[in-house]
Amino acid sequence: MKKLSKELIGASSIPIILSVLSKKESYGYEIIQNVKEISNGKIEYGDGTLYPVLHKLEKKSFIESYWKIGESGRKRKYYKISDKGRKELLTEKESWTIINQIISKLWKIEPSLI
Amino acid sequence: MTDDNINELESHLEDEIHELQKLGLSAEESMLIAKKRIGNIEELVTEFSKVNKGIYFKNKIIPYLKGILLFVAFLTITSLLANLSILIANKLGVNDKNLSFVSVGLLILSTFILLMFSYKKYKNVNLNIRKLTSIPILVSTIIVSKLLTFLSFHVLNRLIGISHYGVLQMNLSIYKLIFVFFILIISCVVFYSLKQENKTTILE
């Protein structure tokens, strides 16, 4: 199974993480597993690389974090989406829809590219 | 990395190990795989430092700040000791000729104490030097020593003449000059020996 390019994974990380967190609050390890499952293994965030992205989103106030003892009894840092983050997700959705429409249009005109 | 970052990565490692163990791997195997997956420390620090720019910068400058503060504290204390030597000499009734010996003796003693602390730290003797070199302690030491030096100057001015005070300041200046010279030699020796060692490592 061919994985997606690093650049594409990097560019899509913000809308993907915000979308995951818009469903429910989560912690780093769970987010990685969740994205891996949804993408059928095509997107697998590096263990140590997801956290800087999460911290960047937190700095921009798109998400909030807090430490909580999970069901397993272990202490974990949970992240949840903020109102500002939900607005950002809407903007991201619009942008990605536009990109999707442009690419779909282009490939309809030139089916040989597919 | 901040303590929070480390705790978060630790909790991530625990989750990873737990999942691997559920797949039937031993604790040791799970630990090895989880460690490998999380990546090497340099890469992690580089990635985290992109977000923690402020903290990264502060952590980088702290050793330099401490170095400067330590040096200023040392100079302030030596000034205070020089003034103190006059007071001691005056109390003990030491004559003018021996006053220089008292002041020089005190300065040598302070240097000896400083070198002893550095040596013990170098030899990793259980000496809690961290608390002594923390920024609030160093800043307070400098402020208190400066104030005491200033006060002692006024007391001395009344006790002895300005000319005697001048002689002492002269002694202190020579001492400071020797001390700076000593630091310069050490810096050069450390710099060139390290350069030489790096060359040898590359050649190997």
Side-chain angles (χ1 to χ4, degrees):
Chain A
M1 192 195 312
K2 206 183 168 201
K3 280 187 181 166
L4 298 174
S5 74
K6 258 188 177 179
E7 288 76 14
L8 198 55
I9 292 176
S12 59
S13 64
I14 294 178
I16 289 178
I17 294 169
L18 287 179
S19 300
V20 169
L21 293 176
S22 71
K23 305 266 184 295
K24 69 172 183 110
E25 56 178 45
S26 189
Y27 52 93
Y29 186 78
E30 198 178 50
I31 296 171
I32 292 174
Q33 298 307 317
N34 220 328
V35 173
K36 193 179 165 187
E37 203 183 303
I38 293 167
S39 67
N40 291 324
K42 280 179 184 143
I43 298 180
E44 197 175 346
Y45 295 129
D47 288 1
T49 48
L50 171 80
Y51 295 101
V53 180
L54 284 170
H55 299 163
K56 203 168 86 184
L57 289 173
E58 197 182 359
K59 245 185 182 173
K60 288 182 175 173
S61 307
F62 293 155
I63 56 173
E64 289 156 8
S65 74
Y66 55 96
W67 284 90
K68 193 176 100 174
I69 296 171
E71 292 151 18
S72 60
R74 263 203 305 274
K75 215 175 148 193
R76 289 190 183 109
K77 194 176 180 184
Y78 279 79
Y79 294 90
K80 69 172 183 185
I81 194 164
S82 65
D83 292 339
K84 200 179 168 190
R86 284 189 196 278
K87 276 182 200 157
E88 176 65 18
L89 182 58
L90 277 177
T91 319
E92 286 280 346
K93 269 184 188 170
E94 281 168 18
S95 307
W96 282 91
T97 312
I98 292 169
I99 296 285
N100 187 23
Q101 281 168 353
I102 293 170
I103 290 180
S104 303
K105 241 186 210 176
L106 278 170
W107 288 345
K108 261 181 203 163
I109 297 165
E110 292 177 69
S112 58
L113 280 171
I114 304 169
Chain B
M1 274 198 239
T2 62
D3 286 348
D4 197 67
N5 296 157
I6 294 165
N7 288 338
E8 192 174 23
L9 283 177
E10 204 179 287
S11 120
H12 178 99
L13 261 177
E14 280 174 4
D15 278 325
E16 187 104 60
I17 291 168
H18 184 72
E19 284 302 314
L20 288 167
Q21 280 180 326
K22 271 210 271 183
L23 292 174
L25 292 176
S26 72
E28 205 177 330
E29 287 166 335
S30 311
M31 180 74 185
L32 276 172
I33 294 171
K35 261 175 79 179
K36 182 113 182 117
R37 278 186 185 168
I38 213 155
N40 73 46
I41 190 77
E42 280 86 12
E43 278 172 21
L44 279 176
V45 171
T46 313
E47 285 302 320
F48 275 82
S49 63
K50 283 178 192 165
V51 189
N52 301 334
K53 265 181 195 156
I55 299 163
Y56 184 70
F57 176 71
K58 280 175 206 157
N59 276 334
K60 279 261 170 195
I61 63 159
I62 274 189
Y64 297 103
L65 269 181
K66 274 191 179 176
I68 294 166
L69 284 175
L70 259 174
F71 190 64
V72 175
F74 184 71
L75 290 183
T76 324
I77 289 170
T78 49
S79 281
L80 181 67
L81 281 176
N83 286 359
L84 211 68
S85 63
I86 311 176
L87 285 174
I88 293 170
N90 198 278
K91 282 267 175 218
L92 296 175
V94 176
N95 61 27
D96 292 353
K97 265 188 187 171
N98 291 330
L99 183 62
S100 291
F101 290 112
V102 176
S103 67
V104 170
L106 269 175
L107 290 175
I108 290 173
L109 187 75
S110 66
T111 315
F112 179 74
I113 292 169
L114 180 84
L115 289 176
M116 200 182 73
F117 264 103
S118 316
Y119 181 75
K120 288 218 168 178
K121 201 192 171 190
Y122 171 70
K123 284 278 173 191
N124 277 330
V125 172
N126 195 12
L127 190 75
N128 205 351
I129 209 159
R130 246 181 198 204
K131 275 188 185 164
L132 281 175
T133 56
S134 74
I135 288 183
I137 298 258
L138 284 174
V139 171
S140 334
T141 311
I142 293 169
I143 293 172
V144 171
S145 316
K146 274 275 176 209
L147 278 174
L148 285 174
T149 315
F150 183 72
L151 282 173
S152 60
F153 172 73
H154 282 281
V155 175
L156 287 172
N157 233 353
R158 268 185 281 128
L159 272 177
I160 61 163
I162 199 83
S163 62
H164 283 107
Y165 187 75
V167 170
L168 265 166
Q169 286 306 311
M170 183 71 184
N171 281 347
L172 188 62
S173 315
I174 294 169
Y175 169 76
K176 278 180 186 168
L177 208 68
I178 294 169
F179 188 75
V180 168
F181 191 63
F182 176 69
I183 298 268
L184 284 177
I185 291 175
I186 290 197
S187 308
C188 288
V189 169
V190 170
F191 177 77
Y192 283 106
S193 65
L194 203 69
K195 214 174 167 186
Q196 209 61 38
E197 272 171 27
N198 280 345
K199 258 187 196 168
T200 328
T201 325
I202 292 164
L203 277 174
E204 275 170 2

